[in-house]
Amino acid sequence: MESSVRDSLQLQLVEMEMLLSMFPGPGEVRLEDVNALTAVRRFLGGAREALPPRIEFEITLQMEEPKVTIDLQVAMPHLYPFAALQLFVRSPQLDRAQQLLLNDDLTSYLGAFDPGELCVCAAVQWLRDHGAAYFLRPKPESAPSPRAKPVKNTFLRMWIYSHHIYQQDLRKKILEAGKRLDVTGFCMTGKPGIICVEGFKEGCEEFWRTIRYPSWRHISCKHAESVETEGDGQDLRLFHSFGELLLEAHGDYGLRKDYHMDLGRFLEFLKKHKSEHIFQILFGIESKSSDA
């Protein structure tokens, strides 16, 4: 395994050098961890024993016709290119269907590469050659055919657990993602941090990708509930909007940042939203009714 990781990281550095030569301007390749490449070189040189952080970055491509931008987000697993690359394409000028199709087609294209082949540069070139076409695709007709079958969508609810949620910039990122996408739910800050997001599958999965990128340690999706629906999903929602849930914490606020949230009040909140069952899933503690 050690030699495979070293071989993979050597190839990753080669590809990063190619990308930096393709995008030499300041900020064109935006590394999530600016010290990631140095850490990889130190690991390969034997200066550190622990695995370095994954190389994660974003590139913005400027398309000329039409004049739009495409953001390519990339995360390299330690065993890439012998393991699958993690990447996602987004653009504010694409609607949900266009963006989904673009990502599916790019993934299909990269799926033809053999293990060990570098493919980020190839993905960039593919987007330059084919990306514009996805902005020019006509929107589907709004009036359905009289015989058209109702379209079924997957309504999804994700329960996300984090060791803690404190930082203002992280809380802002979560709230902005929740309000930008067609999702509802809440973010409970403190220790632990709990996020519930619900809506159609595409919106929930994009929310999950947004808050996890770059890799957020100590976070996991503990439980997901899904159901097929032909409607707009409004009758399935337990929440009417997406916002921050602030509960009084146990302990001293002061300068401490390890205060635990009042889980008793959180349980009451879950009961009001018909979600009492999730308490044991999140915490491994059977909920007890306050009426008992």
Side-chain angles (χ1 to χ4, degrees):
M1 175 63 74
E2 179 69 15
S3 61
S4 297
V5 169
R6 288 184 173 275
D7 292 344
S8 300
L9 293 178
Q10 288 278 16
L11 290 171
Q12 290 181 27
L13 286 181
V14 170
E15 185 159 43
M16 289 306 301
E17 289 175 2
M18 290 190 292
L19 284 169
L20 291 171
S21 66
M22 292 170 60
F23 300 94
E28 288 190 89
V29 177
R30 299 181 295 280
L31 286 163
E32 177 53 35
D33 184 345
V34 295
N35 298 314
L37 299 184
T38 301
V40 171
R41 293 188 183 100
R42 291 184 60 204
F43 175 80
L44 293 174
R48 57 178 290 169
E49 297 181 0
L51 279 175
R54 295 193 314 175
I55 299 174
E56 301 181 358
F57 58 92
E58 183 177 76
I59 300 173
T60 297
L61 302 177
Q62 303 288 341
M63 311 299 289
E64 292 301 323
E65 187 60 40
K67 209 165 188 63
V68 293
T69 60
I70 296 177
D71 292 326
L72 174 63
Q73 298 176 340
V74 181
M76 293 179 170
H78 286 119
L79 285 174
Y80 165 79
F82 301 98
L85 184 70
Q86 298 173 12
L87 78 172
F88 183 72
V89 180
R90 69 173 69 230
S91 172
Q93 289 91 14
L94 287 174
D95 64 24
R96 184 183 300 174
Q98 291 170 322
Q99 184 165 282
L100 182 62
L101 181 60
L102 174 56
N103 277 281
D104 286 346
D105 288 351
L106 177 57
T107 300
S108 178
Y109 166 70
L110 297 180
F113 282 61
D114 293 327
E117 286 189 89
L118 297 170
C119 56
V120 179
C121 293
V124 169
Q125 190 59 50
W126 187 92
L127 287 170
R128 284 174 167 170
D129 293 340
H130 304 282
Y134 293 83
F135 295 86
L136 302 175
R137 290 174 183 266
K139 302 288 196 267
E141 294 293 336
S142 58
S145 169
R147 295 186 180 182
K149 294 181 179 179
V151 176
K152 288 188 177 181
N153 292 302
T154 300
F155 186 87
L156 181 64
R157 183 177 300 110
M158 303 172 68
W159 295 92
I160 300 166
Y161 179 95
S162 174
H163 180 263
H164 61 269
I165 301 176
Y166 295 133
Q167 297 179 355
Q168 288 293 338
D169 56 345
L170 177 58
R171 292 162 62 181
K172 181 180 178 182
K173 181 178 182 179
I174 294 170
L175 290 175
E176 287 178 347
K179 293 176 181 179
R180 175 172 56 85
L181 302 167
D182 185 22
V183 297
T184 52
F186 66 88
C187 170
M188 183 178 80
T189 60
K191 179 178 181 181
I194 306 295
I195 303 171
C196 175
V197 58
E198 60 179 6
F200 286 133
K201 181 179 179 182
E202 293 83 359
C204 290
E205 289 181 344
E206 183 172 349
F207 174 90
W208 182 226
R209 281 191 295 266
T210 299
I211 67 170
R212 287 189 70 192
Y213 185 89
S215 57
W216 176 2
R217 296 176 178 84
H218 310 302
I219 186 173
S220 62
C221 180
K222 286 277 191 175
H223 185 61
E225 305 158 339
S226 64
V227 62
E228 296 294 320
T229 179
E230 296 177 357
D232 59 8
Q234 293 302 320
D235 58 324
L236 299 172
R237 295 182 187 266
L238 299 178
F239 305 93
H240 300 297
S241 60
F242 189 93
E244 196 168 55
L245 176 62
L246 300 173
L247 299 179
E248 183 179 354
H250 289 304
D252 178 19
Y253 276 88
L255 297 176
R256 292 183 57 191
K257 291 190 176 181
D258 61 345
Y259 51 83
H260 290 259
M261 303 311 295
D262 189 333
L263 297 186
R265 292 187 62 190
F266 182 55
L267 175 57
E268 292 302 316
F269 173 80
L270 292 177
K271 288 179 181 178
K272 291 179 181 178
H273 292 86
K274 303 176 183 178
S275 302
E276 181 180 355
H277 66 285
I278 207 68
F279 192 84
Q280 184 173 7
I281 295 174
L282 291 173
F283 306 111
I285 304 172
E286 185 175 355
S287 61
K288 295 181 181 181
S289 173
S290 58
D291 299 331

